[in-house]
Amino acid sequence: MRTPLHLALIYGSARPGRLCDAVGSWAEAEIRRAGGFTTEVTDPRTALDDEPALREALTRADGFVVVTPEYNHSFAAPLKALIDAADVEWGAKPAAFVSYGGLSGGLRAVEQLRLVFAELHVVGVAESVALPDAWNRFDGAGRMLEPERPRRAMGRMLGRLRWWGEALKAARSAEIFTEAA
Ligand SMILES: Cc1cc2nc3c(=O)[nH]c(=O)nc-3n(C[C@H](O)[C@H](O)[C@H](O)COP(=O)(O)O)c2cc1C
């Protein structure tokens, strides 16, 4: 059996009362359901308190799932601070996005994240999961209502993330990744 692909599940909100906890827990459960992955949550509420630990967590990861809300047509500042706190730890790995918000489902935040991650040599997975009207998608216990469509989108996204994750893991082990490569 293949070694599971290790994912850093990165939360994109640090707001008190954030919906990010419900969306992130849903994403983590779906990744577990898909199988073949291990996950570790990276949370902007605490990640910057210990930058060496953040860098180690990102180094361990073969890929990233970023769970992000949309704030004023972009992603939130704590996520940018988390991204900027590391450098080569991101490189030559794939990132996939679970976004949420109002009408746009967070897609404008994701488009901006793709630009930022390109600078860090992160391959953005084209397939994504977007949750418009996110506040009405979870019950009081944080369970997703009508999960069928997002689940299918998640399955497609994880399939592609797995492909890129395996391909880039092999590439990283074959060659030392450098800025000049
Ligand atoms: C200051 C602010 C700006 C927002 N801007 C947008 C926006 O541009 N587009 C959108 O779809 N939702 C927007 N929202 C809604 C958020 O995406 C929504 O409240 C989401 O739950 C925030 O994530 P969080 O609860 O995990 O922090 C905004 C919310 C706030 C508080």
Side-chain angles (χ1 to χ4, degrees):
M1 219 170 98
R2 271 191 176 165
T3 316
L5 211 58
H6 187 59
L7 301 178
L9 182 66
I10 299 173
Y11 280 24
S13 171
R15 194 180 65 81
R18 63 187 179 184
L19 188 63
C20 200
D21 289 310
V23 183
S25 297
W26 173 79
E28 192 168 22
E30 290 301 312
I31 294 167
R32 205 176 312 119
R33 228 173 77 91
F37 297 104
T38 52
T39 54
E40 187 177 355
V41 171
T42 298
D43 189 334
R45 278 186 182 164
T46 52
L48 294 175
D49 297 343
D50 188 347
E51 279 195 20
L54 168 62
R55 285 174 174 267
E56 281 165 26
L58 297 176
T59 299
R60 277 194 294 278
D62 297 312
F64 313 107
V65 172
V66 183
V67 178
T68 183
E70 181 169 305
Y71 275 74
N72 294 321
H73 293 202
S74 184
F75 54 93
L79 176 57
K80 184 62 161 59
L82 188 157
I83 293 169
D84 294 344
D87 180 10
V88 293
E89 294 83 356
W90 296 105
K93 297 175 183 178
F97 303 95
V98 176
S99 64
Y100 58 99
L103 270 183
S104 79
L107 286 172
R108 290 171 294 211
V110 170
E111 289 302 295
Q112 296 200 15
L113 279 168
R114 291 184 190 283
L115 294 176
V116 171
F117 275 129
E119 177 60 16
L120 293 161
H121 309 277
V122 170
V123 175
V125 170
E127 290 85 351
S128 73
V129 180
L131 304 172
D133 194 21
W135 279 103
N136 293 320
R137 284 178 174 266
F138 293 88
D139 69 12
R143 279 186 300 263
M144 186 184 278
L145 308 166
E146 300 179 17
E148 295 78 16
R149 282 177 70 128
R151 176 167 285 169
R152 281 200 297 277
M154 189 75 172
R156 286 192 293 272
M157 185 182 85
L158 290 176
R160 189 77 75 179
L161 179 66
R162 194 191 307 275
W163 190 92
W164 276 111
E166 294 291 354
L168 293 174
K169 189 176 178 181
R172 286 196 311 279
S173 68
E175 230 177 299
I176 305 287
F177 180 75
T178 66
E179 285 299 310

